[in-house]
Amino acid sequence: MKSLPFSDRKVKVSSSTIHLCQPDNEKSCGACCGLYNWKGYSRTALEPLLHKKTELFNSLEDGSESFDHYRMRVEELSPHKKLFKTIYNCEFLGFVDKEKKKVGCLLHPSVNHGSDRRDDSFYGKELCASHECPSYIHLTDQEKKAVIYSADDWYIYGLAITDIDFIKEYFKIINNALGETINPEVIKKPELKRIVADYLRLKEEWDFRSTKSRFGKYCFSYAEYSIYKIDYQKKLGIKGSVFDKILVSLGSEFNSSTELHKAEKIIKTNIDRFIAVYTLLTA
């Protein structure tokens, strides 16, 4: 059975010391725990669910015997319409900080006074502790830092950091235009950080997103998924787009070449802004 890259449970080993799951105190990623594995995975759908799960977990008495009731209640609260049926949506994913900025494991020792209760989860402590998603391997340290410095929100951060094509293609175009690899430390500058943050927010605010069962470039049908391809020639009468990988990662679907050109302009304008500001800041 196929499995999604953002939920591939194989243990990975990366040479990077950058922690993508919990990078700082402002955000975190719960994609591997099935955070986005729901049809209609909008912020307005996920945020209330995370709040309810966290409140319910915090109301439990000590001991795993109370987990049966917890699981039953989470099942009742959940949307029930999964994108990919064979990927497990962990019931113990919730907010792990008082400010409700970070999603994570409610069984982790850091939120349980040092007690590690992850063996009560579906995957168990060993696999959860050692798993690294493909982004650990395929994103460069520069790309990882650029996303971490720019995203201050759990919802956007998780969608962006797990979409390798969305990140790599953006910085590939920028690096090629600059003739050098960007220094991610420059992105800490507010004027440049805003530009990258605007790009990342396209994951949530994209006007050309398909209404079909999609997660970025992935299409879903029953228990299978496939990689979506935009048929530029057949549907739009053109050869393709220089921003194809980004457009596909955004789950795009176009009804006309006019829509495509509008979408391309949004991406190009952002990239041009980045290049101009970065050049000015590093002059």
Side-chain angles (χ1 to χ4, degrees):
M1 181 64 65
K2 297 177 180 178
S3 61
L4 287 176
F6 64 84
S7 289
D8 182 356
R9 304 307 303 188
K10 294 180 181 179
V11 175
K12 309 285 187 181
V13 179
S14 72
S15 58
S16 174
T17 58
I18 300 171
H19 196 272
L20 298 182
C21 307
Q22 302 282 338
D24 56 36
N25 292 325
E26 297 298 320
K27 73 272 183 178
S28 59
C29 179
C32 288
C33 306
L35 175 60
Y36 304 105
N37 190 35
W38 302 105
K39 293 182 179 180
Y41 52 89
S42 67
R43 183 193 299 271
T44 55
L46 298 182
E47 194 163 34
L49 177 61
L50 290 168
H51 277 290
K52 290 175 183 177
K53 288 167 65 178
T54 305
E55 291 171 4
L56 182 61
F57 183 86
N58 290 337
S59 70
L60 294 176
E61 297 179 0
D62 291 338
S64 58
E65 64 275 1
S66 57
F67 286 164
D68 289 340
H69 174 71
Y70 172 81
R71 288 187 175 95
M72 182 178 66
R73 288 290 292 119
V74 170
E75 178 68 19
E76 293 170 355
L77 294 169
S78 298
H80 295 292
K81 295 182 178 180
K82 298 172 67 169
L83 279 175
F84 199 57
K85 293 181 180 180
T86 58
I87 290 177
Y88 192 74
N89 293 51
C90 185
E91 63 270 41
F92 295 108
L93 179 67
F95 288 113
V96 295
D97 63 323
K98 292 181 180 180
E99 294 77 18
K100 304 298 188 291
K101 291 183 177 181
K102 301 175 65 178
V103 295
C105 179
L106 296 171
L107 300 174
H108 195 275
S110 64
V111 292
N112 282 283
H113 308 290
S115 176
D116 194 338
R117 307 174 71 180
R118 285 177 291 177
D119 278 334
D120 288 304
S121 70
F122 180 80
Y123 290 112
K125 177 174 64 178
E126 183 178 353
L127 191 55
C128 287
S130 60
H131 173 69
E132 291 183 349
C133 74
S135 295
Y136 275 92
I137 306 299
H138 296 294
L139 295 182
T140 66
D141 280 1
Q142 290 87 353
E143 291 162 346
K144 294 171 186 176
K145 289 179 180 179
V147 178
I148 291 170
Y149 294 161
S150 304
D152 289 331
D153 170 83
W154 63 268
Y155 183 78
I156 296 296
Y157 175 72
L159 286 175
I161 199 65
T162 55
D163 194 329
I164 295 168
D165 288 346
F166 182 66
I167 301 304
K168 293 196 78 68
E169 191 67 11
Y170 180 69
F171 288 109
K172 175 185 174 182
I173 295 170
I174 288 171
N175 290 341
N176 286 342
L178 291 170
E180 61 179 302
T181 300
I182 63 152
N183 176 1
E185 302 304 318
V186 183
I187 294 176
K188 290 181 177 180
K189 300 285 186 179
E191 53 267 58
L192 195 58
K193 176 180 177 179
R194 282 194 294 270
I195 295 171
V196 181
D198 286 345
Y199 174 72
L200 301 183
R201 276 197 296 273
L202 294 179
K203 276 289 189 177
E204 183 175 15
E205 301 172 355
W206 191 236
D207 291 333
F208 307 98
R209 183 177 290 107
S210 172
T211 58
K212 298 175 184 177
S213 189
R214 295 270 300 277
F215 184 83
K217 66 181 180 181
Y218 299 101
C219 304
F220 299 86
S221 179
Y222 301 101
E224 294 293 325
Y225 78 91
S226 59
I227 305 297
Y228 182 79
K229 293 182 179 180
I230 300 173
D231 193 339
Y232 297 97
Q233 185 66 51
K234 184 177 180 180
K235 193 169 185 178
L236 306 176
I238 57 179
K239 291 183 178 181
S241 171
V242 293
F243 301 122
D244 176 65
K245 287 187 178 181
I246 294 174
L247 294 172
V248 173
S249 288
L250 287 168
S252 305
E253 188 170 7
F254 303 106
N255 296 312
S256 66
S257 58
T258 300
E259 285 188 354
L260 171 63
H261 296 326
K262 286 180 179 179
E264 290 177 323
K265 185 177 180 180
I266 291 171
I267 297 169
K268 185 178 187 304
T269 299
N270 181 279
I271 290 174
D272 288 347
R273 284 172 56 212
F274 182 103
I275 294 168
V277 173
Y278 184 90
T279 301
L280 184 63
L281 291 173
T282 56

